[in-house]
Amino acid sequence: MAVDYAVIVLYLAGMLAMGWWGMRRATSKSDFLVAGRRLGPAMYSGTMAAIVLGGASTIGGVGLGYRYGLSGAWMVFTIGLGLLALSVFFSARIARLKVYTVSEMLDLRYGGSAGLISGVVMWAYTLMLAVTSTLAYATIFDVLFGLDRALAIILGGAIVVAYSTLGGMWSITLTDMVQFVVKTIGVLLLLLPIAVIKAGGFAEMKAQLPDDYFAPLGIGGQTVFTYVLIYSFGMLIGQDIWQRVFTARGDRVARLGGTAAGTYCLVYALAGAVIGTAAKALYPHLGSPDDAFATIVKDALPVGVRGLVLAAALSAVMSTSSGALIACATVANNDIWARIRGVVRRQSPATDAPHGPDAGHGGAGEPRDEVRGNRVFILLMGLAVIVIALALNNVVEALTVAYNLLVGGLLVPILGGLLWKRGTGAGALASVAVGGLTVVGLMLSLGVLANEPIYYGLLASLVAYVAVSLATRPTDAAVLDAWRARLAGRPDAAGAEPSVASGPSATTSPAGH
């Protein structure tokens, strides 16, 4: 294993080196949070594919293939479909908004009335997503080095927190590009063909396994439908995904680069299912389907190649973890803390106005101060993620809670804001509250893994949004004019960066301030 260990150690050292290099480029808030909004198609598509294809897509995707056969591809397949839908129908408009968070988009659309509560829901989602990715370190480092679970979480988490804190989105973009290349080589070009050959080819696999393993809907139609609701729609509205859209250099990059990344996800989904099916033919009595990836890597691959493929699994986990971490910190700082700080400042007798150097309107030192503040929040959120991961065991339940909250609470007001001009701020607030509470209540009564919470949560959210929007006054015309100017990318709107710390009034003009 010495050669394999060397490959892994060099990979981890490279991640930290790129974090240090990225620190030199992150000199402003825009650089730190959205890579200066200047990624071209190659880097954009590579990093987008890297963040959506995490440990669940790699280790979990192979595990689903082991359990269900080729239909185990549906989970990752629906992720790819969601990314394609986002890229084709919404990414250009999202990129033109020139915001940093989903909640800032809601503020622009509804006049500053829905941002805080949506920020709390989005923060909970990104936090749990980062936790689930961090939990996967335990499995990989146990395979690599035989480390204790707690030590593995701390080691893997510390590396991700270090390079994310140092360079922000620039560091994450650079590491994600490396991770994309490593995953492509390790999983698609090496593990996939070797696993099929070791299993005797498709003819031998079909001879050994039940016919259900090769049926398109062997996993179950209801399961596929639930995957679409959770993962396809989750791709449309997640802060971790939108924050990558914000890095695109322009509309064309967001649309074409995202389409390429979504197509790559479809190929990756099928590859994981085939590898899992091959593992089932080779090792029919594993204790857990999630052991399939590590088992076939250890037993079927030669020295050196094994290390590269394990590095690919580590890449998958780290890319999702770092993306979720910076999204969590961005929401915590810009959507929650900045608003709370703004409220306290407005209520303080020591100040005459909510504006000030700390409200996002500072002088020459503003970019450096904002970078420092966001860097502190990444560090704090990273430490919180590691602590929570040490206390949890069930990855699937944590991931399900995250996506149920996201989709049940935020899908309707976000898509409603983009597609229906009659939607109001009151309707958005009602939708978030009713949908979120319905999801939580049904998860508590029926179980976290039940299908009903997301079904009824979405329905309740939609009814609340439409009913309350129709029962309240339409959104102010000035707010809608500013919103349409942003969506159109007009010069009077697109150049401005919205300030959430200044309160709702910051969204009532195209200038954003």
Side-chain angles (χ1 to χ4, degrees):
M1 292 290 289
V3 175
D4 296 325
Y5 290 161
V7 172
I8 299 297
V9 170
L10 285 173
Y11 167 77
L12 294 176
M15 296 299 99
L16 292 174
M18 288 182 183
W20 182 262
W21 187 86
M23 182 175 65
R24 301 169 60 118
R25 300 202 62 170
T27 58
S28 70
K29 179 180 179 180
S30 179
D31 284 333
F32 192 81
L33 295 182
V34 290
R37 306 188 194 273
R38 56 179 183 266
L39 295 191
M43 291 196 75
Y44 178 84
S45 59
T47 58
M48 182 64 86
I51 187 177
V52 300
L53 296 174
S57 300
T58 304
I59 299 171
V62 172
L64 287 172
Y66 183 89
R67 185 174 179 183
Y68 298 106
L70 298 186
S71 67
W74 272 109
M75 184 188 77
V76 183
F77 204 81
T78 56
I79 291 174
L81 292 177
L83 186 53
L84 284 171
L86 173 72
S87 302
V88 173
F89 298 112
F90 299 108
S91 63
R93 283 185 284 178
I94 291 171
R96 286 196 293 265
L97 289 175
K98 300 295 183 185
V99 296
Y100 292 108
T101 69
V102 174
S103 294
E104 288 179 11
M105 167 263 170
L106 292 173
D107 268 354
L108 283 171
R109 169 60 181 82
Y110 296 114
S113 58
L116 181 58
I117 187 172
S118 65
V120 171
V121 174
M122 189 64 76
W123 173 78
Y125 156 72
T126 53
L127 181 70
M128 293 307 296
L129 185 61
V131 168
T132 58
S133 302
T134 304
L135 283 169
Y137 297 141
T139 301
I140 298 173
F141 278 101
D142 177 56
V143 172
L144 293 176
F145 306 116
L147 291 181
D148 174 73
R149 173 183 178 275
L151 184 59
I153 289 173
I154 293 171
L155 175 61
I159 293 171
V160 170
V161 172
Y163 74 70
S164 300
T165 303
L166 284 172
M169 187 60 82
W170 268 122
S171 293
I172 293 171
T173 296
L174 294 171
T175 54
D176 277 359
M177 276 305 297
V178 174
Q179 290 158 356
F180 170 75
V181 172
V182 170
K183 280 192 288 192
T184 301
I185 295 173
V187 176
L188 297 184
L189 302 184
L190 294 176
L191 182 57
L192 174 60
I194 291 174
V196 173
I197 292 170
K198 288 283 185 179
F202 283 99
E204 182 64 23
M205 289 160 60
K206 291 195 73 170
Q208 292 189 35
L209 298 173
D211 291 341
D212 287 349
Y213 268 69
F214 302 91
L217 294 177
I219 197 172
Q222 186 179 25
T223 299
V224 174
F225 180 65
T226 303
Y227 284 161
V228 170
L229 287 183
I230 293 178
Y231 297 114
S232 295
F233 286 135
M235 288 296 105
L236 298 180
I237 59 175
Q239 169 67 24
D240 51 325
I241 309 302
W242 277 41
Q243 199 155 343
R244 295 309 173 96
V245 175
F246 300 150
T247 66
R249 189 168 58 205
D251 298 359
R252 183 177 175 84
V253 170
R255 185 182 298 110
L256 296 182
T259 301
T263 304
Y264 179 90
C265 291
L266 303 183
V267 176
Y268 200 88
L270 185 58
V274 171
I275 293 167
T277 304
K280 181 67 175 180
L282 289 168
Y283 320 104
H285 303 298
L286 292 179
S288 168
D290 285 342
D291 294 336
F293 181 87
T295 302
I296 198 168
V297 168
K298 287 180 66 176
D299 293 351
L301 300 183
V303 173
V305 174
R306 181 171 50 204
L308 182 62
V309 174
L310 288 172
L314 197 59
S315 296
V317 175
M318 284 188 162
S319 58
T320 299
S321 181
S322 59
L325 177 59
I326 193 171
C328 178
T330 302
V331 171
N333 187 19
N334 292 271
D335 291 336
I336 300 175
W337 172 242
R339 295 170 193 274
I340 294 173
R341 186 178 58 186
V343 169
V344 171
R345 185 175 291 112
R346 285 194 297 272
Q347 294 176 348
S348 172
T351 180
D352 295 324
H355 302 280
D358 296 327
H361 302 281
E366 176 196 355
R368 182 172 298 185
D369 291 341
E370 291 202 340
V371 168
R372 186 184 300 120
N374 283 289
R375 187 172 279 138
V376 168
F377 266 86
I378 289 182
L379 179 60
L380 292 176
M381 293 300 104
L383 294 175
V385 164
I386 292 173
V387 170
I388 295 171
L390 290 171
L392 292 181
N393 287 313
N394 196 312
V395 179
V396 175
E397 288 194 358
L399 189 63
T400 302
V401 170
Y403 272 97
N404 279 352
L405 282 173
L406 174 71
V407 176
L410 292 180
L411 177 69
V412 171
I414 291 173
L415 293 188
L418 289 169
L419 301 173
W420 189 40
K421 66 179 181 180
R422 184 60 179 82
T424 66
L429 283 172
S431 178
V432 174
V434 172
L437 290 174
T438 302
V439 164
V440 171
L442 289 176
M443 282 194 295
L444 290 174
S445 61
L446 301 177
V448 169
L449 299 180
N451 291 323
E452 289 80 3
I454 190 61
Y455 296 166
Y456 293 114
L458 267 177
L459 180 61
S461 180
L462 178 61
V463 170
Y465 181 71
V466 173
V468 175
S469 291
L470 293 176
T472 52
R473 293 179 58 186
T475 305
D476 186 85
V479 172
L480 288 179
D481 287 344
W483 167 254
R484 283 190 285 265
R486 282 293 186 100
L487 281 180
R490 291 205 292 267
D492 61 334
E497 301 284 5
S499 171
V500 296
S502 302
S505 61
T507 65
T508 58
S509 68
H513 296 298

